[in-house]
Amino acid sequence: MGFANQKERLSPLTGAQIREYGENGYVLLRGGCSHDLIDAFNAHIYTIRSSDDMPDWAKPRAGVVVSPADRFSVRLFNPHRHDGFALQMMKLPVIRGALAQLMGGEACGVQSMYFYKEPGSKGQAAHQDYYYIQNEPRSMIAGYVALERIDEDNGCLRVVPGSHKLGLLPHGAVRNKEEHEPWTDETEGVDLSREIPVVMEKGDILFFHELLVHSSTRNRTKDRWRRSYVCHYIRHDSEITQREDLKKKIRLDD
């Protein structure tokens, strides 16, 4: 799938897709980002993390000597604040357009994360993004760009369709620490047997609601990574209410 002109990029979702998002809490936009752009972005991030002169903002762990294992396993948090390429990836016209269609108004970026998820690494237990990033009025949507094929073998996202209609659910301790990272919290009070995998091809973009229950599983492959670029957005008239580190809003139309 491709978008031939600016008008298509700023209105990439069909009416059926918008209704699908309202019903299920997520929608998958196939081929939203070109392979050439993704290859350039992956190479750019690799160059930053492999450099002997890695800038402080890109280091995996603040104040800690960078180890070979950390360079390409620990996520890169909020690169859009320091790196022009990461900022432009957050502001892709196709993402801006889809968000405006889903939110009913212009969106602003508040957070970005470049995930590696190397072979063997654990996933994140079921959760709702609003639990970690509260905003009012509620409007947050995640834009998840697949930077390579993402499937059940290398730990794709799993979602509970329609769970965004349940409101904010309680979260407690992670139950399966063999499958999931122990430092997060896990959603309680939802039937996780209803989870389904979201298989994505390189260049696909998944948009999902801040209250959608979702998780990821362990990367069970020996030689495949699961790189992705995930940004969170709120409508222009919303504000982050608790996280001081995420209160700066990035306009997408600059």
Side-chain angles (χ1 to χ4, degrees):
M1 181 178 181
F3 300 95
N5 54 54
Q6 185 74 351
K7 182 178 179 180
E8 289 183 2
R9 283 192 291 271
L10 290 178
S11 299
L13 300 177
T14 66
Q17 287 175 309
I18 295 171
R19 291 190 292 274
E20 178 185 346
Y21 176 85
E23 180 64 24
N24 294 327
Y26 68 97
V27 65
L28 183 59
L29 181 62
R30 295 289 186 185
C33 188
S34 74
H35 286 199
D36 285 347
L37 181 57
I38 286 173
D39 290 345
F41 186 50
N42 281 335
H44 176 72
I45 296 299
Y46 178 86
T47 298
I48 291 172
R49 270 286 172 90
S50 62
S51 173
D52 291 335
D53 299 317
M54 188 190 308
D56 288 341
W57 64 265
K59 290 180 178 177
R61 306 179 195 280
V64 178
V65 175
V66 178
S67 71
D70 283 349
R71 284 181 182 269
F72 308 111
S73 60
V74 178
R75 67 180 177 177
L76 189 58
F77 191 67
N78 281 330
H80 74 278
R81 294 182 180 173
H82 311 276
D83 178 70
F85 202 157
L87 176 62
Q88 293 308 312
M89 290 293 289
M90 170 184 267
K91 298 165 63 173
L92 289 178
V94 68
I95 291 178
R96 175 195 168 198
L99 291 171
Q101 288 180 286
L102 296 174
M103 292 181 179
E106 285 286 345
C108 294
V110 293
Q111 178 176 260
S112 64
M113 295 173 288
Y114 183 100
F115 284 97
Y116 288 95
K117 195 159 188 182
E118 74 278 16
S121 61
K122 297 179 181 179
Q124 186 170 354
H127 65 283
Q128 296 168 300
D129 288 345
Y130 182 82
Y131 175 76
Y132 294 103
I133 310 175
Q134 296 184 17
N135 61 99
E136 297 298 337
R138 291 182 183 175
S139 63
M140 190 170 69
I141 295 176
Y144 180 115
V145 182
L147 302 180
E148 54 202 320
R149 178 176 166 83
I150 296 175
D151 53 37
E152 293 179 84
D153 291 334
N154 64 352
C156 67
L157 245 60
R158 301 179 64 84
V159 301
V160 180
S163 55
H164 65 302
K165 300 177 182 179
L166 300 175
L168 181 62
L169 299 170
H171 287 59
V174 172
R175 293 184 284 273
N176 185 352
K177 296 180 181 178
E178 291 299 315
E179 186 75 22
H180 300 126
E181 294 285 357
W183 52 268
T184 63
D185 291 330
E186 183 170 0
T187 303
E188 299 175 340
V190 65
D191 181 7
L192 294 180
S193 69
R194 294 180 53 237
E195 273 191 329
I196 61 173
V198 180
V199 175
M200 302 174 66
E201 299 296 337
K202 180 179 177 179
D204 291 350
I205 306 174
L206 179 69
F207 297 96
F208 58 93
H209 194 282
E210 61 190 334
L211 291 175
L212 181 74
V213 176
H214 61 286
S215 67
S216 59
T217 52
R218 181 188 287 275
N219 183 342
R220 289 179 166 77
T221 71
K222 295 182 179 180
D223 57 359
R224 293 177 56 210
W225 293 64
R226 194 217 69 181
R227 291 171 296 178
S228 60
Y229 189 53
V230 184
C231 297
H232 287 95
Y233 305 86
I234 58 176
R235 202 172 56 224
H236 67 91
D237 58 349
S238 296
E239 302 291 338
I240 300 297
T241 58
Q242 293 183 327
R243 293 279 300 274
E244 293 295 329
D245 60 320
L246 299 181
K247 287 194 172 183
K248 182 178 179 180
K249 298 191 290 187
I250 304 298
R251 290 172 57 99
L252 306 186
D253 58 349
D254 289 343

